[in-house]
Amino acid sequence: MNAANAGIRVNHLQKTFQQGRVRACRDVNLAIAPGELLVLLGPSGCGKTTTLRCIAGLERPDNDDAIWVGEQNITGMQPKDRNLAFVFQDTALFPHLNARKNISFGLNMRKTFPAAEIRRKVEATAKMLRVDHLLERKPSQLSGGQAQRISLGRAIVMEPAAFLLDEPLASLDAALRVEMRAEIKQIQRKLNTTMIFVTHDQEEALSLGDQIAVMNEGVVLQVGSPASIYLKPANLFVARFIGSPPVNQFECELVQDGGGYGLRCAWFEVSLGAEAATLIDAVGGKVTLGVRPEFISIGSEGGDIEGRVTLVEMLGSRSVILIEAQGREIRVSTQGGTTVKEGDPVQLTLTMDRAFFFAPDGRALVG
Amino acid sequence: MKRSQATSADRWLIVVFLAPTTAFMVLLLWYPFLQGVWMSLFRWPFLGTPEWRGVQNYVDFMAADYFWVALKSTFIYSLSTLFQLGLALTAALVLNQPFIRLQNLWRGVMLMAYAMPPVVVGAIWLFLLDPGLGMVTHYLLAWGIIAEPIYWFSDGVWARWVITLVATWTFWPFMFLILLSALQAIPGSLYELGEIYGANLWQRFIHITLPHIKGAILVVVILRLAFNLAKIEQPFQLTGGGPGYETSILSVLVYRFAFMSGDFGMAFTVGIFLVVFTSVLIFPFAYLYQRQFKPTL
Amino acid sequence: MALRDDRSTPTQRFVTYAALTLLLSQVMIPFGYVFVTAFKTPGEVFEVTWLPEEWSLEAWRDVFVVNEFHINLYNSLIAGIGSAVLALLISVPGAYVFARKRFPGREILFYLIVGTLIFPFILLIVPITITWIQVGLYNTIVGLWLAFQIFAVPYSIWILRGYFARLPRSLEECAMVYGCTQFQAFYKVILPQAKPVIISVMFLSFLLGWNDFLFSNMLTTGDGPRTASVAIYVASAGGERIEWEVMMVMTLITGIPPVILYILAQKHLSKTFSV
């Protein structure tokens, strides 16, 4: 199964721990195309790392046909025979070996190449990662970022069928994290090798992934491009998990006023198109309305909601404004700076054609 | 479905790796132990034919006039653990002070007695305490503290305390080493926090130091209680268990019966009493440790 | 770590230094006197003096020429080395499995072994002696090596297991992803990490053999592998006149090597013990 650049399929993966008492993966299904970069995203404990470890062979799934690479079922195979490279969050560099020997560890074990060839490959990889000057150092002499590069090098040099990365950037500081994630994406593009990247950081997921799979409580809730995950969340959980500041939610009820439709939400009412009204009516008329902070505009009069500014956060390229209305907090985000000040009375207008409607069971209503 | 995580390769490794340990445990610990229990039901001479006695060895031992004498000396001897703890804690606190220089040198000096064979240390004290030419007797006489030489090893009252104190002098560095490393593991920021909130030296000791080394203290007390009652080369060497049975702590008695009288059945009978005695002594500390730290695998 | 000022008070310093002085002198004075005695002539041993009239090497010569103490030292050395090697062979694989693998009965097995740490192992000398006579291990060096394991193995497993358990699990996992079998992961990755603890265990079980008296005395006779400890005991129980200056030389020769070893191993020991 050494077909480089293989697709990976996860088929109804189930994985329980402690004699079935803990269900890490209930029913995970994924299909990653050859050369694709898939990000597995979810809160801690959602089963994303367990899924990745099952793919690597570090955990044994409960069902025997869970993991496929290309057309081959590898569920029962030893990790070393899978030709998959794994990058650990804590780098897992071997402390007794220098960087060079860490990178060449897998090739040395495999014994397919002569020493000179291994040496060449290690140096080429190190150069690509800009750590060729660090090869003689022991892991204890490397910074966090350098260590993670070496650990990446150890994976890259194997020319595996796919890379599996388990939160590799989680223990780095913010600036380095941003730099490294761009680099990882470039390398993945250059090598054109399938990659699965696990993270709990939604910003990292959006910036990296060709596809993002959002997981919660042992199941995949949605798979899609970053844009579709962000703009068309399949359910309330995905909508809330993705996006910073988070989506605004209101509990609403469908009402009919004169010829048109509207949503009555606690203390305010917004009008609604007929198409949306039909969808909402079909689930009984009660929905959760979700509006992302950037789809609410601030004015001084004529809006849907009246409120008062409680806090303005200037974040550089945009501003986040917290508004208090009827005891509720509403988050609004604007491009660039803003003229409103804390204490100002404001009127908010919702952009209803970018709003989400969720049925009582959390499912998104789409036409 | 596979519930356990072990793959077949895993299972092989476990079996192969456990084999030597299990063989050791069965052949060198539990089989001899059970064999000993069996032997304790016999009059079992060193070289000769065993003769069935049932529980007579046990009955005889408990009825013997030296039974309570032995228990009493065993108890006094086990007080050594307490003295060791005092010395060790003091030394560990002293060496943990940041302003002490040459820490490593002093630590090396302090553990000298512990590193050496106990028989070596025993021989040294045999010499130093010699009533005729020993340094201790000499100075005590010279300074007028005693009027005539004391026969440390053959005077029953003194002999008991001598073996207890020599054991203390020999074995306290074991506790010292472990307590010092426990002290060094306490983050300095805790003491700074204590200072900022107005804790004085004593309060910092009670509220910061002690809670952090409590586990280590319990462990060393448990281990030392057990070790002290089993490592008996010094009492054996200094007094041979005498005069009479005054310093025959239970384990010396085991050795005396086995090595000197060649009565192996009786020796193991005494050994059983030693197990019970040790367990009773250790129990409260083990209970405290278990309750507080729940050692997990 | 940030640098810190020393803010100790003069009283604190005085008390600490006073305690240090007391602690050191209770160790140094006896050993100092032993050292001096080793260089006295037989006649001068009877006087309590700190500076011999003449520094004599007579006792040192007697130890080897008359007492042939080097034979006992050699026996102690072999006893110690064998004890260390055997302890490693038995306890390293076992401790690794206890620390890193799950299997039914793990807890019980572990406590059955380590529980014997607080078991007064001295009483096992009774059945062991009888068995050793029956199987021909009595009065042999192999018999001693095996007997030392009664104490060395539980102790070693206890120390090793704690250390193995603290190593990150990702090390083996990583090794296995990059081409190792379970066994290769153990010896290529875990064993090199365990160097300090392996040195500690080797050192402690060597000393166990070197320092032991009870087993060595019980399981050997004068014509067998009699170790230095036993020779010192025999000399000290010598009856008529004990040659104290010779005894003190023996104690120095036997006692100093473990101290040096302790100092050398300290770096590794401190990495091992964190109760």
Side-chain angles (χ1 to χ4, degrees):
Chain A
M1 58 138 281
N2 270 336
N5 201 19
I8 294 176
R9 192 156 59 84
V10 178
N11 176 39
H12 297 293
L13 166 67
Q14 292 169 41
K15 174 64 188 167
T16 55
F17 291 101
Q18 296 169 17
Q19 281 79 43
R21 285 197 294 273
V22 178
R23 300 185 67 185
C25 298
R26 285 162 194 274
D27 181 18
V28 176
N29 292 286
L30 289 169
I32 303 106
E36 189 173 86
L37 198 172
L38 175 98
V39 175
L40 264 182
L41 173 68
S44 64
C46 73
K48 58 190 190 299
T49 293
T50 304
T51 303
L52 194 75
R53 290 166 58 85
C54 284
I55 297 173
L58 295 172
E59 306 288 352
R60 186 76 193 260
D62 293 353
N63 51 326
D64 280 332
D65 57 347
I67 313 294
W68 296 70
V69 171
E71 288 308 301
Q72 195 186 3
N73 178 4
I74 62 160
T75 312
M77 208 181 259
Q78 287 292 312
K80 71 187 176 72
D81 301 325
R82 296 189 178 208
N83 194 26
L84 299 172
F86 200 100
V87 176
F88 292 81
Q89 178 181 345
D90 64 359
T91 76
L93 289 182
F94 304 126
H96 63 298
L97 301 178
N98 64 16
R100 177 189 296 280
K101 287 193 177 135
N102 261 292
I103 296 179
S104 65
F105 185 88
L107 292 180
N108 287 339
M109 290 304 302
R110 207 185 261 170
K111 297 191 179 94
T112 39
F113 299 111
E117 176 73 1
I118 291 178
R119 193 181 172 82
R120 198 191 56 72
K121 281 173 184 283
V122 167
E123 275 162 15
T125 306
K127 197 159 191 122
M128 175 164 76
L129 291 162
R130 291 182 281 127
V131 288
D132 41 336
H133 58 296
L134 301 171
L135 282 177
E136 310 311 323
R137 290 203 194 168
K138 285 280 179 71
S140 57
Q141 300 163 311
L142 298 170
S143 72
Q146 290 167 338
Q148 200 49 276
R149 277 167 203 269
I150 300 293
S151 150
L152 275 173
R154 182 168 60 182
I156 291 168
V157 81
M158 297 297 288
E159 296 168 22
F163 295 113
L164 310 174
L165 288 74
D166 184 16
E167 309 218 20
L169 309 179
S171 43
L172 304 181
D173 62 50
L176 196 56
R177 208 154 58 213
V178 171
E179 182 192 324
M180 289 272 305
R181 79 180 179 217
E183 210 166 319
I184 287 176
K185 186 159 185 168
Q186 282 164 7
I187 288 169
Q188 192 271 340
R189 289 282 183 274
K190 190 166 147 194
L191 301 173
N192 194 31
T193 305
T194 314
M195 180 182 280
I196 304 180
F197 188 109
V198 163
T199 181
H200 65 270
D201 179 340
Q202 47 102 13
E203 191 188 308
E204 199 165 276
L206 292 172
S207 75
L208 262 175
D210 295 326
Q211 297 277 303
I212 295 175
V214 183
M215 285 186 70
N216 192 36
E217 293 180 345
V219 293
V220 177
L221 296 175
Q222 186 175 6
V223 184
S225 68
S228 71
I229 295 271
Y230 187 76
L231 296 172
K232 292 179 184 131
N235 56 46
L236 186 55
F237 179 85
V238 175
R240 280 161 56 169
F241 193 71
I242 310 268
S244 169
V247 68
N248 294 293
Q249 292 168 240
F250 309 96
E251 302 306 320
C252 303
E253 206 175 341
L254 184 66
V255 289
Q256 214 162 353
D257 52 350
Y261 297 95
L263 271 181
R264 180 178 300 136
C265 308
W267 75 100
F268 66 92
E269 223 179 286
V270 285
S271 56
L272 202 63
E275 200 182 327
T278 318
L279 286 170
I280 293 166
D281 194 38
V283 293
K286 282 190 193 295
V287 286
T288 303
L289 169 68
V291 190
R292 295 223 177 269
E294 62 271 36
F295 300 133
I296 299 178
S297 52
I298 297 187
S300 47
E301 51 193 20
D304 300 317
I305 304 169
E306 269 180 29
R308 187 174 292 278
V309 176
T310 55
L311 193 69
V312 179
E313 291 179 300
M314 171 65 192
L315 298 178
S317 62
R318 63 200 173 110
S319 303
V320 173
I321 301 151
L322 254 58
I323 289 138
E324 197 233 277
Q326 301 283 317
R328 294 274 307 273
E329 201 170 64
I330 298 171
R331 293 164 291 266
V332 177
S333 149
T334 62
Q335 288 297 315
T338 177
T339 53
V340 299
K341 293 186 300 296
E342 285 164 26
D344 286 354
V346 286
Q347 295 274 335
L348 304 178
T349 309
L350 310 181
T351 313
M352 287 305 286
D353 54 351
R354 308 302 288 273
F356 316 134
F357 306 103
F358 301 101
D361 64 2
R363 189 167 42 88
L365 303 177
V366 276
Chain B
M1 289 280 89
K2 289 145 218 76
R3 280 283 155 71
S4 85
Q5 276 179 249
T7 63
S8 65
D10 233 348
R11 273 196 288 274
W12 266 111
L13 183 100
I14 290 171
V15 168
V16 172
F17 274 33
L18 273 185
T21 306
T22 313
F24 153 80
M25 184 191 75
V26 172
L27 295 177
L28 280 170
L29 291 180
W30 294 106
Y31 174 73
F33 179 71
L34 294 176
Q35 190 192 4
V37 173
W38 175 244
M39 285 169 73
S40 74
L41 303 175
F42 290 82
R43 181 190 303 282
W44 197 300
F46 179 58
L47 300 164
T49 327
E51 174 199 331
W52 175 260
R53 298 200 79 205
V55 294
Q56 198 57 44
N57 280 336
Y58 293 83
V59 174
D60 283 359
F61 179 55
M62 286 173 75
D65 46 3
Y66 51 77
F67 177 72
W68 291 107
V69 181
L71 280 193
K72 187 178 164 194
S73 358
T74 311
F75 183 75
I76 290 181
Y77 191 67
S78 63
L79 286 180
S80 167
T81 306
L82 209 66
F83 304 148
Q84 289 173 35
L85 180 64
L87 265 176
L89 195 55
T90 311
L93 286 171
V94 165
L95 275 203
N96 194 39
Q97 297 303 314
F99 55 82
I100 296 274
R101 274 177 228 144
L102 300 177
Q103 241 208 48
N104 286 338
L105 176 67
W106 306 138
R107 188 166 55 181
V109 169
M110 285 187 189
L111 56 76
M112 271 171 74
Y114 177 69
M116 295 181 177
V119 168
V120 162
V121 177
I124 289 172
W125 282 102
L126 212 48
F127 172 55
L128 295 177
L129 290 172
D130 188 279
L133 48 84
M135 179 183 81
V136 176
T137 314
H138 172 86
Y139 284 119
L140 288 181
L141 282 171
W143 295 335
I145 297 173
I146 55 173
E148 53 192 60
I150 295 179
Y151 287 81
W152 304 102
F153 305 116
S154 45
D155 179 316
V157 180
W158 282 115
R160 244 183 219 144
W161 287 103
V162 163
I163 59 166
T164 306
L165 290 177
V166 169
T168 306
W169 193 81
T170 311
F171 296 115
W172 70 274
F174 171 84
M175 288 189 167
F176 158 71
L177 282 181
I178 291 180
L179 291 182
L180 182 60
S181 69
L183 282 178
Q184 285 168 343
I186 304 176
S189 56
L190 283 182
Y191 289 103
E192 295 179 336
L193 189 88
E195 252 186 289
I196 287 167
Y197 288 104
N200 63 31
L201 209 58
W202 175 248
Q203 287 169 322
R204 273 179 269 160
F205 176 74
I206 292 293
H207 295 293
I208 300 171
T209 312
L210 219 46
H212 273 88
I213 59 169
K214 199 169 167 189
I217 289 180
L218 286 173
V219 167
V220 291
V221 166
I222 292 168
L223 288 180
R224 223 45 257 180
L225 272 175
F227 295 173
N228 287 345
L229 288 180
K231 282 198 131 302
I232 44 103
E233 33 272 273
Q234 291 174 344
F236 186 72
Q237 179 189 21
L238 296 177
T239 65
Y245 288 90
E246 294 289 321
T247 60
S248 283
I249 60 174
L250 286 169
S251 39
V252 170
L253 221 44
V254 173
Y255 211 74
R256 258 176 99 159
F257 277 117
F259 188 70
M260 291 160 117
S261 334
D263 188 348
F264 280 59
M266 195 59 175
F268 204 87
T269 305
V270 179
I272 296 287
F273 279 91
L274 176 59
V275 173
V276 174
F277 190 94
T278 311
S279 313
V280 169
L281 222 53
I282 285 175
F283 180 78
F285 302 101
Y287 175 77
L288 274 180
Y289 185 80
Q290 184 78 24
R291 210 185 50 178
Q292 272 216 308
F293 299 96
K294 278 240 158 79
T296 46
L297 272 174
Chain C
M1 195 168 48
L3 295 170
R4 293 197 163 97
D5 273 344
D6 172 26
R7 287 193 309 280
S8 56
T9 61
T11 327
Q12 208 178 332
R13 280 159 180 265
F14 175 77
V15 172
T16 310
Y17 278 115
L20 181 67
T21 312
L22 278 175
L23 284 164
L24 288 175
S25 37
Q26 57 96 20
V27 178
M28 293 304 287
I29 292 173
F31 280 121
Y33 190 67
V34 168
F35 183 80
V36 170
T37 305
F39 293 96
K40 287 183 179 174
T41 57
E44 218 193 332
V45 170
F46 293 93
E47 287 156 45
V48 178
T49 51
W50 283 87
L51 284 173
E53 301 266 316
E54 58 169 313
W55 291 81
S56 156
L57 287 175
E58 200 177 325
W60 292 80
R61 193 186 55 87
D62 283 359
V63 162
F64 293 104
V65 177
V66 180
N67 296 56
E68 293 189 316
F69 195 56
H70 50 276
I71 296 175
N72 306 116
L73 285 172
Y74 175 77
N75 286 334
S76 288
L77 185 71
I78 298 299
I81 291 173
S83 166
V85 171
L86 206 54
L88 281 185
L89 288 180
I90 296 175
S91 52
V92 169
Y96 172 71
V97 169
F98 281 124
R100 307 294 267 197
K101 305 286 172 190
R102 305 190 150 271
F103 54 91
R106 182 175 69 145
E107 251 106 306
I108 291 174
L109 208 54
F110 182 70
Y111 286 121
L112 276 179
I113 293 172
V114 174
T116 54
L117 257 185
I118 49 175
F119 184 85
F121 59 94
I122 173 67
L123 84 161
L124 290 182
I125 201 147
V126 173
I128 292 278
T129 308
I130 296 294
T131 308
W132 267 210
I133 291 173
Q134 285 166 354
V135 300
L137 284 168
Y138 185 75
N139 215 10
T140 66
I141 193 81
V142 179
L144 285 185
W145 291 343
L146 284 170
F148 294 151
Q149 303 311 313
I150 290 174
F151 187 70
V153 168
Y155 204 52
S156 305
I157 287 186
W158 183 55
I159 295 171
L160 284 162
R161 196 207 69 90
Y163 191 87
F164 282 140
R166 288 198 297 272
L167 293 175
R169 206 159 280 274
S170 59
L171 285 178
E172 282 137 308
E173 291 177 345
C174 187
M176 285 168 67
V177 169
Y178 290 101
C180 288
T181 61
Q182 297 261 1
F183 183 66
Q184 286 170 323
F186 166 71
Y187 83 80
K188 276 187 185 287
V189 174
I190 297 300
L191 270 194
Q193 306 313 313
K195 204 176 102 190
V197 71
I198 285 176
I199 289 177
S200 299
V201 163
M202 251 169 69
F203 157 79
L204 290 170
S205 33
F206 172 83
L207 281 197
L208 210 75
W210 178 273
N211 288 0
D212 174 76
F213 163 72
L214 295 170
F215 283 110
S216 314
N217 186 40
M218 195 73 193
L219 297 174
T220 63
T221 61
D223 52 16
R226 175 166 276 176
T227 59
S229 284
V230 179
I232 288 176
Y233 166 76
V234 171
S236 72
E240 348 66 269
R241 195 192 88 80
I242 298 168
E243 295 168 303
W244 287 111
E245 72 289 352
V246 174
M247 277 266 293
M248 291 305 110
V249 174
M250 285 183 176
T251 61
L252 282 180
I253 297 175
T254 315
I256 297 298
V259 175
I260 293 171
L261 272 181
Y262 247 108
I263 291 166
L264 292 179
Q266 230 172 46
K267 191 181 69 173
H268 299 292
L269 281 174
S270 64
K271 280 189 199 164
T272 304
F273 282 102
S274 53
V275 177

